[in-house]
């Protein structure tokens, strides 16, 4: 007895047209924020425990924020920033700059106006 599968050839159907670049995942705020916090902490040669204690944040929670696992409140972000010797505004500027850097790589295949806006750090809102 022959099986039906041996008589028909498998056919691959592409999910996107040939020649179109693969989609790149847009960076998430919590991931970029966590990377910036960790980079700042390591640049100061400080331990997670030291920064958590200085900011009165639980060490496991700060670790999860640094790894992009938690969306921290503005109060926690301000405490973490202060523990690192930064204001909340300074921390947000660092995160903004990193988002712009990452977005310029992410949007290389989109419409020129959108890519230009991402590189210039513009935020466009639709009403």
């Amino acid at each position: 007895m022959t099986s039906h599968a041996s008589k028909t050839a498998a056919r691959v159907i592409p999910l996107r047209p040939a020649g179109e670049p693969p989609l790149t995942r847009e960076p998430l705020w919590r991931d970029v924020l966590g990377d910036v916090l960790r980079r700042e902490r390591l640049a100061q040669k400080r331990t997670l425990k030291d920064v958590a204690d200085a900011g009165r944040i639980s060490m496991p929670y700060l670790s999860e924020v640094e790894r992009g696992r938690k969306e921290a409140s503005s109060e926690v972000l301000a405490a973490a920033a202060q523990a690192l010797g930064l204001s909340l505004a300074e921390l947000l500027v660092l995160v903004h700059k990193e988002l712009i850097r990452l977005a310029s790589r992410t949007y290389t295949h989109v419409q020129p106006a959108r890519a230009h806006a991402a590189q210039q750090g513009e935020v466009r809102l639709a009403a």
Side-chain angles (χ1 to χ4, degrees), residues 31-94:
D31 292 332
V32 178
L33 173 71
D35 289 344
V36 169
L37 284 172
R38 177 169 283 164
R39 190 177 321 126
E40 286 299 309
R41 177 176 62 79
L42 294 175
Q44 296 177 18
K45 297 183 180 356
R46 294 175 68 188
T47 65
L48 190 62
K49 182 176 181 355
D50 177 42
V51 174
D53 289 348
R56 301 186 63 151
I57 306 165
S58 87
M59 191 174 69
Y61 188 77
L62 182 57
S63 173
E64 289 192 84
V65 170
E66 281 191 356
R67 290 181 288 131
R69 306 281 174 135
K70 294 288 183 186
E71 296 271 359
S73 68
S74 58
E75 290 86 0
V76 169
L77 294 179
Q82 186 176 16
L84 291 167
L86 301 168
S87 69
L88 180 57
E90 290 168 326
L91 175 62
L92 297 180
V93 166
L94 293 172

Side-chain angles (χ1 to χ4, degrees), residues 1-8:
M1 182 178 347
T2 61
S3 73
H4 179 69
S6 64
K7 292 181 181 180
T8 59

Side-chain angles (χ1 to χ4, degrees), residues 18-30:
E20 189 175 302
L23 296 176
T24 305
R25 191 185 119 212
E26 188 167 4
L28 295 177
W29 170 260
R30 69 175 183 252

